[in-house]
Amino acid sequence: MLITKMLRQVVGQMLGSPACGCWTAAPPLRFLGTSPRQIPADTNFHSASFSGTDQPRVLITGGLGQLGVGLANLLRKRFGKDNVILSDIRKPPDHIFHSGPFIYSDILDYKNLREIVVNNRITWLFNYSALLSAVGEANVSLARAVNITGLHNVLDVAAEHSLRLFVPSTIGAFGPTSPRNPTPDLCVQRPRTIYGVSKVHAELMGEYYHYRYGLDFRCLRYPGIISADSQPGGGTTDYAVQIFHDALKNGKFECNLKPSTRLPMMYIDDCLRATLEVMEAPAESLSIRTYNVNAMSFTPEDLAQEVLKHIPEFQITYNVDSVRQAIADSWPMNFDDSNARKDWGWKHEFDLPELVTTMLNFHGSDTRVAHAN
Ligand SMILES: NC(=O)C1=CN([C@@H]2O[C@H](COP(=O)(O)OP(=O)(O)OC[C@H]3O[C@@H](n4cnc5c(N)ncnc54)[C@H](O)[C@@H]3O)[C@@H](O)[C@H]2O)C=CC1
Ligand SMILES: CC(=O)[C@H](N)C(=O)O
């Protein structure tokens, strides 16, 4: 009898009354009790920590990878240099250190993360820290720690301090049993990499915190991202960045995926603009909290054909990496991003021809400078 009564009380407290699509705000369970994360039980997780007219105060974690510096540049143009703090566990090169606020932040250290958020009055957090698909398979325990335990810290800090939280997901959150051509937002997700598993976990945990505690969680599933001025951090789609360096430097490229491997891809400018747009979208326009975003889809063969139009002597050869190939074969070939286009007006600007011209122009000018020196 007593147990039944207690259970009824607990379930009653958990369910609350559904209002505006989310349950009554209640502190995440790990905040209760005597843990160092204890916060007052009457904390209101729905309270906005900045007024609508203020600029957001932004923290980017894992910001020294392929995407973070570009994101910081974009956000600094929009919100002011000093309102955007880039962070990582690595030492920044001089030009990045001098381009705006930089701070050490390890997402595995909850106290360090909380201190940064409090001391800098952070209101928006972009969690870019992660181990990507190929490096994740080479170090599963570290990938599990950073991508899952680290994510828990980020979610708790964000919920505790009413932050707007962006966590990127990926085409890698799908697996061999997902529909691959095209892959919709909602379908079977049984990835076979630790990276994919951790990203499905992030999507589900973020959405759970949104519905359970009112956390303003926003997530985009990025395709493979192609950037000119930053290097990829160990993924399956990295070939589509490396090809441009090698084509201009040596006139040839050895590809680690089969010629017919079709994957969704996006130029970095589109990716970062999508990220800012979804963060600025009115909450009521978001019918879901995790969206596919897409731009183009191509194979190594298609990409090589396009490069050949600019460098007629270019040669591509293939030396397949079995780990990366198995991963790529389990990922979407085409991404259905109709919900993002419908809900918040997503529209990509770069297709394959523009991508190739932009990448070759960027590296071409670099190569010419290097040869001249
Ligand atoms: N680059 C791409 O093609 C895609 C990226 N994404 C996601 O976008 C985000 C950013 O990606 P990239 O910049 O490409 O990744 P990256 O691998 O280039 O950079 C990740 C950064 O995280 C940092 N990091 C590692 N452990 C950390 C820790 N304990 N605390 C703080 N930082 C830590 C690393 O030092 C590194 O600078 C990731 O979450 C990734 O999963 C999603 C799909 C595609
Ligand atoms: C698509 C991604 O998430 C990343 N570039 C990877 O290949 O791991």
Side-chain angles (χ1 to χ4, degrees):
M1 279 295 279
L2 187 62
I3 291 177
T4 315
K5 197 174 160 200
M6 281 166 63
L7 271 174
R8 260 202 220 109
Q9 273 173 356
V10 170
V11 171
Q13 277 165 10
M14 279 185 68
L15 292 178
S17 61
C20 313
C22 24
W23 296 347
T24 304
L29 295 182
R30 66 197 312 196
F31 296 153
L32 301 173
T34 54
S35 88
R37 301 187 187 198
Q38 187 170 7
I39 56 163
D42 60 354
T43 298
N44 178 4
F45 287 98
H46 288 282
S47 69
S49 53
F50 66 106
S51 83
T53 52
D54 286 344
Q55 300 285 30
R57 298 267 307 153
V58 177
L59 175 67
I60 303 168
T61 66
L64 291 185
Q66 187 191 358
L67 306 185
V69 174
L71 181 69
N73 290 340
L74 179 71
L75 299 180
R76 282 173 182 159
K77 276 190 202 126
R78 179 117 180 136
F79 303 125
K81 189 173 88 170
D82 293 334
N83 283 323
V84 180
I85 302 175
L86 198 59
S87 73
D88 206 297
I89 52 171
R90 295 192 276 145
K91 199 159 111 181
D94 282 355
H95 71 280
I96 291 174
F97 186 71
H98 294 299
S99 65
F102 180 88
I103 206 164
Y104 171 85
S105 168
D106 180 352
I107 63 162
L108 292 173
D109 182 346
Y110 176 82
K111 235 176 130 253
N112 167 250
L113 206 53
R114 185 166 65 178
E115 204 171 302
I116 292 169
V117 166
V118 169
N119 287 350
N120 296 284
R121 301 180 305 114
I122 297 300
T123 55
W124 286 16
L125 199 160
F126 294 78
N127 180 41
Y128 270 7
S129 324
L131 264 69
L132 272 58
S133 57
V135 289
E137 289 313 291
N139 195 341
V140 173
S141 61
L142 185 61
R144 196 178 60 185
V146 175
N147 299 7
I148 297 180
T149 310
L151 184 267
H152 293 168
N153 290 339
V154 167
L155 282 170
D156 281 355
V157 167
E160 189 183 343
H161 298 281
S162 309
L163 308 185
R164 186 170 296 180
L165 174 63
F166 181 84
V167 180
S169 185
T170 162
I171 48 172
F174 297 94
T177 51
S178 308
R180 295 181 62 213
N181 195 8
T183 306
D185 280 311
L186 292 177
C187 63
V188 170
Q189 286 180 270
R190 285 292 180 275
R192 301 239 174 111
T193 59
I194 185 62
Y195 179 57
V197 169
S198 69
K199 290 293 186 178
V200 177
H201 178 76
E203 294 175 5
L204 291 174
M205 285 297 286
E207 290 180 10
Y208 173 71
Y209 269 52
H210 171 66
Y211 293 112
R212 180 76 175 85
Y213 305 117
L215 173 67
D216 193 351
F217 170 81
R218 301 175 185 215
C219 174
L220 297 181
R221 295 192 190 102
Y222 295 158
I225 305 301
I226 298 162
S227 56
D229 57 356
S230 57
Q231 290 298 321
T236 303
T237 58
D238 293 6
Y239 90 86
V241 179
Q242 194 58 38
I243 189 172
F244 295 101
H245 294 264
D246 291 12
L248 280 160
K249 207 163 151 226
N250 312 316
K252 57 185 182 185
F253 173 65
E254 187 179 86
C255 184
N256 55 21
L257 294 181
K258 289 183 192 163
S260 58
T261 312
R262 179 171 299 282
L263 291 168
M265 301 278 185
M266 184 181 277
Y267 184 56
I268 187 166
D269 287 12
D270 275 342
C271 164
L272 301 178
R273 185 170 51 79
T275 304
L276 179 56
E277 283 177 8
V278 78
M279 282 297 270
E280 291 194 311
E284 55 283 6
S285 69
L286 305 176
S287 64
I288 48 180
R289 288 283 161 162
T290 302
Y291 287 93
N292 293 349
V293 279
N294 198 25
M296 63 194 106
S297 221
F298 57 74
T299 65
E301 209 166 28
D302 298 335
L303 182 54
Q305 284 303 322
E306 199 61 39
V307 172
L308 267 169
K309 291 182 189 165
H310 299 257
I311 309 174
E313 66 279 12
F314 175 66
Q315 287 179 345
I316 186 164
T317 52
Y318 296 91
N319 182 11
V320 172
D321 172 324
S322 56
V323 173
R324 282 184 166 84
Q325 187 64 49
I327 294 174
D329 286 343
S330 74
W331 282 2
M333 291 193 268
N334 276 298
F335 228 20
D336 174 355
D337 62 354
S338 47
N339 285 320
R341 290 175 192 262
K342 178 164 53 75
D343 286 1
W344 45 276
W346 166 240
K347 200 168 180 300
H348 70 278
E349 281 175 5
F350 287 78
D351 280 304
L352 183 56
E354 297 83 53
L355 168 83
V356 172
T357 307
T358 308
M359 290 294 288
L360 291 176
N361 282 345
F362 183 91
H363 289 299
S365 57
D366 268 9
T367 313
R368 279 192 292 278
V369 172
H371 285 166
N373 289 335

